[in-house]
Amino acid sequence: MKKLINQVELEQYAAGELSDEYLNLVEKATEALSGSYSPYSNFAVGAAVLTEEGTIIKGANQENAAYPSGLCAERTALFYTSTQYPTKKIKAIAVVVQKPIGRFPFPCGSCLQVMSEFQEKQNEKIDVLLVHPNTSEVLLSKGLDNLLPHAFKKSHLSP
Ligand code: THU
């Protein structure tokens, strides 16, 4: 037996330490919370995607009485971005939650998988910013490998 150890590298910023560009992105993700439709979980999530040209696309979680028909905030924003701007590269995505859950809001596996797909497609890393709802500190992952090191990729479909 041998242990395979993956090092994870995340950066933690006080709100005041962020660049203006990322501070603005966090602000937009916070604005997106008002678009959350979450009557079942009462757990509002907001996301904002930043493209390489500086366009910002907001997304919020959308729930449904048929529970699996809903969609997370991150994928709402990412799919809209890819539909409206199929050739634009994504520089970053910020995620915020409304409830003071006392932790950074790590995205679910499906959203990380989708982020990973976009990163592979554009061949450039996507910064993921997670905003602590109690302290407004920001956890930054430069690329998806730190959050989903074993993502399933297109290249895995063939030997
Ligand atoms: N949710 C997100 O929007 N993003 C995530 O990464 C995790 C969960 C939403 C889905 C559902 O509307 C609510 O949060 C509770 O799971």
Side-chain angles (χ1 to χ4, degrees):
M1 189 274 268
K2 56 179 175 175
K3 282 193 178 166
L4 305 173
I5 297 171
N6 261 326
Q7 293 281 7
V8 168
E9 213 179 285
L10 299 168
E11 297 177 356
Q12 189 171 325
Y13 292 84
E17 292 174 333
L18 275 188
S19 66
D20 285 351
E21 188 177 46
Y22 280 177
L23 210 54
N24 183 45
L25 188 66
V26 165
E27 211 173 286
K28 297 291 180 227
T30 307
E31 283 174 22
L33 286 172
S34 64
S36 167
Y37 176 65
S38 43
Y40 302 102
S41 70
N42 288 312
F43 190 77
V45 185
V49 169
L50 175 68
T51 70
E52 57 185 349
E53 289 98 340
T55 305
I56 291 178
I57 296 94
K58 297 189 227 172
N61 56 329
Q62 305 298 322
E63 296 184 350
N64 194 283
Y67 289 6
S69 300
L71 195 64
C72 292
E74 298 92 320
R75 277 176 288 161
T76 302
L78 287 164
F79 291 150
Y80 182 88
T81 304
S82 140
T83 304
Q84 294 295 325
Y85 310 102
T87 58
K88 279 191 186 176
K89 288 190 178 182
I90 292 169
K91 182 172 175 185
I93 179 167
V95 184
V96 306
V97 293
Q98 196 154 49
K99 256 192 201 160
I101 54 173
R103 63 181 72 231
F104 289 102
F106 283 94
C108 77
S110 297
C111 287
L112 292 175
Q113 180 66 34
V114 168
M115 290 177 204
S116 165
E117 180 80 21
F118 283 117
Q119 180 172 281
E120 286 296 301
K121 186 178 104 185
Q122 69 184 29
N123 201 23
E124 233 162 90
K125 285 187 177 177
I126 297 175
D127 282 351
V128 182
L129 290 88
L130 308 174
V131 184
H132 196 296
N134 303 61
T135 65
S136 297
E137 287 165 309
V138 172
L139 206 62
L140 169 65
S141 175
K142 292 185 171 166
L144 268 298
D145 287 357
N146 293 302
L147 298 173
L148 193 66
H150 300 290
F152 189 80
K153 297 182 179 173
K154 193 181 180 191
S155 59
H156 300 176
L157 288 169
S158 44

